[in-house]
Amino acid sequence: MSEEIRKGQGEGSLDAPQRHPIDWRDSGYYDERALTAELERVFDICHGCRRCFSLCNAFPTLFDLVDASESMEVDGVDKADYGKVVDHCYLCDMCFMTKCPYVPPHPWNVDFPHLMLRAKAVRRRKGQVSARDRLLSSTDFVGGAVANPVAAPVVNAANRQGSVRVVLEKTLGVHRNARLPAYQSRPLRRRMRERVGADAKGEPTEATRGRVVLFATCYGNYNEPWLGEDLVAVFEHNGIPVTLAAAERCCGMPKLELGDLEAVARAKAQNVPELASWVDAGWDVVAPVPSCVLMFKQELPLMFPDDDAVARVRDAAFDPFEYLMLRHKANKLKTDFKNPLGRIAYHVACHQRVQNIGLKTRDVLKLVPGTEVSVIERCSGHDGTYAVKREFHETAMKIVRPVVNRVKSAEADHYTSDCAMAARHIENGLNDGTQAETPMALLRMAYGL
Ligand code: SF4
Ligand code: SF4
């Protein structure tokens, strides 16, 4: 073994990847010249490596630009075209976490997703963000305005009208064939107003406190409230009290994907003190959407490395199935399953994969007798709002195709994903009248709850 590899600095190092804090409050972060130089440096490394060609459309876009240039090197690519690569990055983090041998501690220090984030932040500071992107990323504003008994039926009906969708595509740039989530008349947080109080007792284990605050998430609150309802049913069946924080805002992930780091900071300023107060009182935090869990576990701690409250929330934030598996390890998970689930085609969401927790959803589902889980570890291509945008929808449908083929060949009784939005995108790719289910709904079904 070479000295470099032994020190964890060479290609093939066995050391865990390290992620540097995001320097977003430093004025140099927004220096366009420095950014362009860094893009050129990293693009050149990627051109020489090309491992990530199949992960998303950012890398094929870069390699096509290089191959079409006169020199067939990165120096032949027009710098004005760098933005085309940035456009296709939806910050799934997969190139950092699963593929790249040049991430820190390697001295080449490649963090492709966070470089894309910087490029998006610079672009946003220059005001180069469309009204469509601002609106789509304002999930709590839109959800708050629409998810009520008056507006929800009207908006849902309009979104199903072909003529409305054509207008929406022309005016706003939302692809006419993209599935838009339906809004609820009664959001989850209203349905769950009567949750247990702060005095509810949990049974702690070494790794969990046995009582959780549910971060409902915008999608779980306004669009698919059963994500939270199923979670509550399963957790309470296992003796874990679930409550809601007094107030909640979007976790900030849609704004992060837009490079709007100030908006992320504003969301953090509301969510973190509230969640930290629960954590300090002996509660853990779970959320039914992997991207939101990742926000608390990874992105906020990297944006605010010196913030103690952010670190306390990070340490108490769990993916729901990670939590259930930790309870199982401590013999605190009930296995009184009543119904076999048969064959399940299970798509692992990118933002859950990059949490580095292993396949906990699969492991929990496999505890159910008469259940076989076939795992699909590929990006679905939904990725926040990427799949609904006019200019990216067709590409998103191409990205999901291998996942759809795997679901078909699994001949499963159920298909599911940790990310409900990815599941709907797979459903759209299948387009055969079947419906995706969530892993928590399947577990609830197995318990017969
Ligand atoms: S973070 Fe995801 S979308 Fe962005 S370049 Fe990497 S693999 Fe592609
Ligand atoms: S991100 Fe890393 S692994 Fe992917 S193409 Fe670039 S250098 Fe290679």
Side-chain angles (χ1 to χ4, degrees):
M1 195 182 279
S2 80
E3 188 57 22
E4 258 190 336
I5 291 177
R6 240 193 312 275
K7 284 187 200 155
Q9 293 182 339
E11 186 174 346
S13 154
L14 301 177
D15 280 11
Q18 293 168 2
R19 226 142 187 206
H20 296 313
I22 302 166
D23 237 356
W24 66 286
R25 282 174 287 197
D26 187 314
S27 59
Y29 188 78
Y30 298 92
D31 180 326
E32 237 184 307
R33 227 194 265 183
L35 167 66
T36 305
E38 181 62 1
L39 285 168
E40 187 171 8
R41 182 187 80 85
V42 171
F43 284 175
D44 198 40
I45 294 171
C46 293
H47 160 51
C49 161
R50 299 206 174 200
R51 278 175 177 83
C52 290
F53 72 95
S54 62
L55 282 183
C56 63
N57 211 40
F59 292 98
T61 302
L62 170 63
F63 303 145
D64 286 352
L65 285 167
V66 172
D67 296 345
S69 75
E70 210 166 303
S71 66
M72 296 184 76
E73 297 290 343
V74 171
D75 63 8
V77 176
D78 186 344
K79 291 181 177 42
D81 284 340
Y82 284 6
K84 293 180 180 167
V85 180
V86 178
D87 284 343
H88 281 285
C89 173
Y90 30 73
L91 301 180
C92 73
D93 268 359
M94 292 309 294
C95 54
F96 183 92
M97 296 306 288
T98 66
K99 289 262 183 182
C100 188
Y102 307 121
V103 299
H106 192 286
W108 288 0
N109 187 24
V110 173
D111 184 336
F112 199 92
H114 279 175
L115 180 58
M116 296 299 102
L117 174 65
R118 183 178 171 193
K120 286 167 188 276
V122 168
R123 189 187 269 179
R124 192 239 151 218
R125 255 223 184 153
K126 287 163 65 188
Q128 295 171 346
V129 173
S130 66
R132 188 262 325 259
D133 290 358
R134 279 200 300 274
L135 188 69
L136 289 178
S137 62
S138 300
T139 45
D140 46 7
F141 169 75
V142 175
V146 176
N148 60 65
V150 178
V154 177
V155 171
N156 294 340
N159 282 342
R160 286 193 296 267
Q161 291 284 328
S163 54
V164 174
R165 294 299 302 272
V166 171
V167 174
L168 208 57
E169 181 179 285
K170 287 194 173 140
T171 54
L172 206 58
V174 172
H175 197 285
R176 66 185 72 179
N177 296 332
R179 289 240 183 133
L180 297 180
Y183 285 93
Q184 297 294 315
S185 298
R186 267 187 90 217
L188 177 69
R189 285 181 58 83
R190 199 162 305 148
R191 294 177 190 211
M192 290 182 40
R193 230 178 231 154
E194 305 301 320
R195 284 279 86 223
V196 291
D199 53 348
K201 298 274 177 286
E203 202 183 341
T205 65
E206 205 179 318
T208 61
R209 265 109 49 108
R211 49 185 191 163
V212 301
V213 182
L214 173 68
F215 186 81
T217 76
C218 297
Y219 192 78
N221 191 23
Y222 301 121
N223 303 110
E224 299 208 25
W226 40 90
L227 300 183
E229 290 171 334
D230 292 335
L231 186 149
V232 170
V234 167
F235 273 51
E236 291 194 341
H237 179 67
N238 283 288
I240 306 167
V242 183
T243 194
L244 287 176
E248 176 182 319
R249 282 207 44 194
C250 172
C251 70
M253 189 58 93
K255 292 294 182 191
L256 186 92
E257 287 169 1
L258 207 59
D260 189 349
L261 300 173
E262 283 86 5
V264 178
R266 286 195 294 278
K268 170 253 175 196
Q270 293 197 12
N271 286 326
V272 167
E274 173 67 24
L275 292 174
S277 71
W278 286 93
V279 170
D280 295 344
W283 293 69
D284 293 320
V285 180
V286 294
V289 175
S291 303
C292 311
V293 177
L294 187 70
M295 195 69 194
F296 292 115
K297 278 187 175 185
Q298 176 183 280
E299 303 297 352
L300 289 179
L302 288 171
M303 278 180 71
F304 301 93
D306 304 320
D307 190 319
D308 199 45
V310 168
R312 295 202 305 281
V313 172
R314 173 198 64 203
D315 295 343
F318 293 89
D319 169 89
F321 282 87
E322 174 191 18
Y323 204 80
L324 294 176
M325 209 57 205
L326 286 168
R327 301 293 292 177
H328 179 61
K329 272 195 187 148
N331 291 319
K332 297 277 182 244
L333 190 78
K334 289 187 182 166
T335 50
D336 56 342
F337 298 111
K338 307 228 169 3
N339 304 306
L341 295 171
R343 295 168 89 160
I344 301 171
Y346 160 55
H347 167 255
V348 194
C350 297
H351 278 175
Q352 197 207 45
R353 284 175 77 187
V354 301
Q355 289 175 37
N356 271 331
I357 55 176
L359 298 174
K360 296 297 183 273
T361 306
R362 176 203 61 186
D363 295 346
V364 172
L365 290 174
K366 274 174 68 179
L367 296 173
V368 181
T371 301
E372 214 179 285
V373 184
S374 139
V375 174
I376 307 168
E377 290 190 274
R378 278 194 81 118
C379 180
S380 75
H382 186 278
D383 301 290
T385 54
Y386 185 77
V388 307
K389 293 177 181 170
R390 180 179 47 205
E391 65 276 30
F392 302 132
H393 178 73
E394 300 299 337
T395 307
M397 294 313 293
K398 261 192 219 159
I399 295 172
V400 78
R401 212 175 290 149
V403 178
V404 165
N405 290 340
R406 291 279 308 277
V407 171
K408 280 185 188 158
S409 64
E411 295 181 351
D413 301 295
H414 312 275
Y415 62 96
T416 189
S417 170
D418 301 296
C419 173
M421 285 168 277
R424 297 285 164 239
H425 188 54
I426 296 167
E427 200 178 280
N428 200 12
L430 278 163
N431 202 21
D432 59 0
T434 59
Q435 283 203 334
E437 291 156 285
T438 67
M440 201 58 85
L442 292 173
L443 194 60
R444 182 177 185 175
M445 193 191 300
Y447 277 124
L449 299 171

